[in-house]
Amino acid sequence: MNYRLLSTLLGATLLSAGLTACSSPGDQSDGTVDGKKTVLDVWLMRDSVSAAFQKEFEAGFEKAHPGIDLKIQIQEWDGIGEKVTAALASNDAPDVIEVGNTQVAQYAQSGGLTDFTSRVAELGGSNWLKGLAEPGVYDGKQYGIPYYAANRVVVYRTDLFGKAGVDAGEIKTRDQWIAATKKLNKGGGQGIYLPGQNWYALSGFIWDEGGDLAVKAGGKWQGALDSPEALRAMDFYGRLQALGKGPKDSDEAEPPQAEVMAKGQVAQIISTPGGANVVVQSNPDLRGKLGFFPIPGKTAQAPGAVFTGGSDLVVPAVAAHQEQAFTFIKELTGDAWQKKLAAAMSYVPNKKTLAGAVSADPGTAAMAVGAANGHATPNTPQWAAVEAKNPVKEYMTAVLTGGNEEEAAAKASKTITTTLNSGS
């Protein structure tokens, strides 16, 4: 999945934290051979790190591991799939590659990635975010190591909430969210802008209900939009969507929902926190008037489930420096550097135990709460083909425009089933 836009929206701040080395000089993984340093080639993606973070990490890493000469190359998201596939099939692959979390299965299927299953505990895997860790697994083996996460929250107008007498801090459940949005609709306001095809939001509601987009049984995938759980989720989505004036036949990009919020009296959108920056850029008068809260859950005991976007780190099976690559991954995904990355880039760290690292940033803090209940799309290389057709969007529009919900769900599920099993 392409996360360039997601990453860009999240924004960046300058790195201010100091260096904390996780290993000491002379580590056996440093790789000096006959007095020569090991050159470690790493591909990181555009907007994954700031220039300041990259410079400080490279310096700190090489000081801690004097036998390694770290060479980080920044790659563009456009066309990266073909480039990674070619690298994995070559004899000259980089040692470490950053990939979108939902891309891991695609690359692991070919047998081109190193299996880290036996080293998960060493990397603190028991605390990894589920939405990053699970997509990194293929056929029961851990190939992708969680790097950073990002997800959607509710971005809201603090002035409109105040005018309506709504306290965002008290919205913990879906029912409370519906009640608050109804209040926000009074006086000519628009309680929420929610387009009809925001399938990421619908996915969260489906997971809250205990369902999924597709399930695997007996070695075969089965689309699950026609399950009772998914139907209940779509019913809630319809109720929420009806409280605004969002189009029923397009997603949040058509028109750009942040621009819609900037122009009128829209009180809420579901977006990454960086969406607030776009709102303010379009309408500077809204600076200081935007806030964030996690998408509410079905009950107050847990935040709403969210789709976890972000990246994992993988090592090509043909990479020449396997142990040094593991050392790099252990450093960058370790607690010390994860805290610094979160501060520098406004990302959610890869472990649930590190959520406090972003407490000073309201948008990222709201993301971190939701990330604890994060999920990913069905873990199969064929899911990309489902997104290309996107029967989920077609299903949502059909229901919202008065179509038979069960028939539309069955049709979409059948398409998902056929697509997911086409490569098996």
Side-chain angles (χ1 to χ4, degrees), residues 1-3 6 100-106 129-138 150-152 198-207 211-216 221-225 305-310 312 373-388 390-393 416 420:
M1 182 170 294
N2 187 328
Y3 292 99
L6 181 62
N101 59 328
T102 60
Q103 295 174 330
V104 177
Q106 171 187 343
L129 294 175
K130 179 180 177 182
L132 290 179
E134 288 189 349
V137 175
Y138 183 74
N151 51 264
R152 290 160 177 78
N198 188 334
W199 70 280
Y200 290 115
L202 174 63
S203 298
F205 302 150
I206 291 173
W207 292 321
D212 210 332
L213 298 167
V215 294
K216 193 174 186 180
W221 284 95
Q222 177 69 46
L225 290 179
V306 293
F307 168 74
T308 301
D312 283 11
N373 193 13
H375 297 250
T377 49
N379 193 9
T380 166
Q382 280 71 47
W383 184 256
V386 172
E387 289 194 25
N390 224 315
V392 185
K393 287 185 174 182
I416 292 173
L420 291 185

Side-chain angles (χ1 to χ4, degrees), residues 242-256:
L243 295 177
K245 301 175 183 177
K248 295 177 171 60
D249 59 352
S250 64
D251 61 19
E252 59 270 36
E254 297 180 11

Side-chain angles (χ1 to χ4, degrees), residues 153-157 261 267-273 276 290-293:
V153 299
V154 180
V155 180
Y156 74 97
R157 288 270 301 270
M261 188 179 201
Q268 307 171 85
I269 58 174
I270 298 174
S271 170
T272 59
L290 298 176
F292 314 88
F293 60 88

Side-chain angles (χ1 to χ4, degrees), residues 170-184:
E170 294 181 354
I171 303 175
K172 303 297 182 182
T173 70
R174 285 188 193 171
D175 288 342
Q176 291 170 342
W177 194 16
I178 290 287
T181 304
K182 288 180 178 178
K183 286 185 179 180
L184 292 161

Side-chain angles (χ1 to χ4, degrees), residues 79-132:
I80 191 61
E82 295 81 359
K83 190 171 184 178
V84 172
T85 299
L88 296 180
S90 74
N91 294 319
D92 189 31
D95 297 293
V96 181
I97 304 175
E98 175 190 348
V99 300
N101 59 328
T102 60
Q103 295 174 330
V104 177
Q106 171 187 343
Y107 302 131
Q109 183 184 40
S110 67
L113 300 181
T114 296
D115 175 12
F116 287 110
T117 305
S118 65
R119 310 191 79 167
V120 168
E122 189 177 350
L123 294 169
S126 61
N127 291 315
W128 282 339
L129 294 175
K130 179 180 177 182
L132 290 179

Side-chain angles (χ1 to χ4, degrees), residues 21-28 30 63-66 331:
C22 299
S23 301
S24 59
D27 189 304
Q28 64 178 0
D30 283 349
K63 181 178 180 180
H65 305 280
E331 290 270 12

Side-chain angles (χ1 to χ4, degrees), residues 34-350:
D34 296 330
K36 295 181 179 180
K37 292 185 178 182
T38 295
V39 176
L40 194 70
D41 291 318
V42 175
W43 288 1
L44 296 182
M45 301 307 301
R46 178 72 61 194
D47 300 318
S48 167
V49 294
S50 65
F53 179 92
Q54 180 180 337
K55 182 179 180 180
E56 190 156 355
F57 178 81
E58 287 177 343
F61 182 86
E62 290 180 348
K63 181 178 180 180
H65 305 280
I68 298 177
D69 182 10
L70 181 59
K71 300 295 184 183
I72 295 177
Q73 299 179 50
I74 301 301
Q75 306 292 321
E76 302 296 336
W77 282 107
D78 292 339
I80 191 61
E82 295 81 359
K83 190 171 184 178
V84 172
T85 299
L88 296 180
S90 74
N91 294 319
D92 189 31
D95 297 293
V96 181
I97 304 175
E98 175 190 348
V99 300
N101 59 328
T102 60
Q103 295 174 330
V104 177
Q106 171 187 343
Y107 302 131
Q109 183 184 40
S110 67
L113 300 181
T114 296
D115 175 12
F116 287 110
T117 305
S118 65
R119 310 191 79 167
V120 168
E122 189 177 350
L123 294 169
S126 61
N127 291 315
W128 282 339
L129 294 175
K130 179 180 177 182
L132 290 179
E134 288 189 349
V137 175
Y138 183 74
D139 276 351
K141 297 178 180 179
Q142 190 79 45
Y143 293 99
I145 305 305
Y147 178 21
Y148 66 85
N151 51 264
R152 290 160 177 78
V153 299
V154 180
V155 180
Y156 74 97
R157 288 270 301 270
T158 56
D159 56 335
L160 297 181
F161 268 57
K163 184 179 179 180
V166 175
D167 183 350
E170 294 181 354
I171 303 175
K172 303 297 182 182
T173 70
R174 285 188 193 171
D175 288 342
Q176 291 170 342
W177 194 16
I178 290 287
T181 304
K182 288 180 178 178
K183 286 185 179 180
L184 292 161
N185 266 335
K186 297 179 180 179
Q190 184 177 169
I192 191 169
Y193 179 83
L194 181 61
Q197 295 183 347
N198 188 334
W199 70 280
Y200 290 115
L202 174 63
S203 298
F205 302 150
I206 291 173
W207 292 321
D208 277 339
E209 293 289 347
D212 210 332
L213 298 167
V215 294
K216 193 174 186 180
K220 296 290 185 180
W221 284 95
Q222 177 69 46
L225 290 179
D226 53 348
S227 68
E229 295 84 2
L231 291 172
R232 289 198 299 269
M234 186 63 216
D235 178 69
F236 175 77
Y237 189 98
R239 290 169 55 205
L240 185 64
Q241 201 270 340
L243 295 177
K245 301 175 183 177
K248 295 177 171 60
D249 59 352
S250 64
D251 61 19
E252 59 270 36
E254 297 180 11
Q257 63 175 0
E259 294 181 8
V260 175
M261 188 179 201
K263 291 178 181 178
Q265 294 295 303
V266 173
Q268 307 171 85
I269 58 174
I270 298 174
S271 170
T272 59
N277 297 333
V278 181
V279 173
V280 172
Q281 288 170 7
S282 298
N283 185 354
D285 290 341
L286 294 182
R287 188 177 304 278
K289 297 180 180 179
L290 298 176
F292 314 88
F293 60 88
I295 294 174
K298 193 173 181 181
T299 69
Q301 281 63 52
V306 293
F307 168 74
T308 301
S311 289
D312 283 11
L313 298 174
V314 300
V315 174
V318 297
H321 310 110
Q322 294 285 323
E323 195 61 32
Q324 292 86 352
F326 179 79
T327 297
F328 172 87
I329 288 175
K330 187 175 181 180
E331 290 270 12
L332 189 54
T333 66
D335 290 4
W337 283 108
Q338 281 290 299
K339 291 177 182 178
K340 294 166 191 166
L341 182 69
M345 302 301 296
S346 296
Y347 293 146
V348 177
N350 62 1

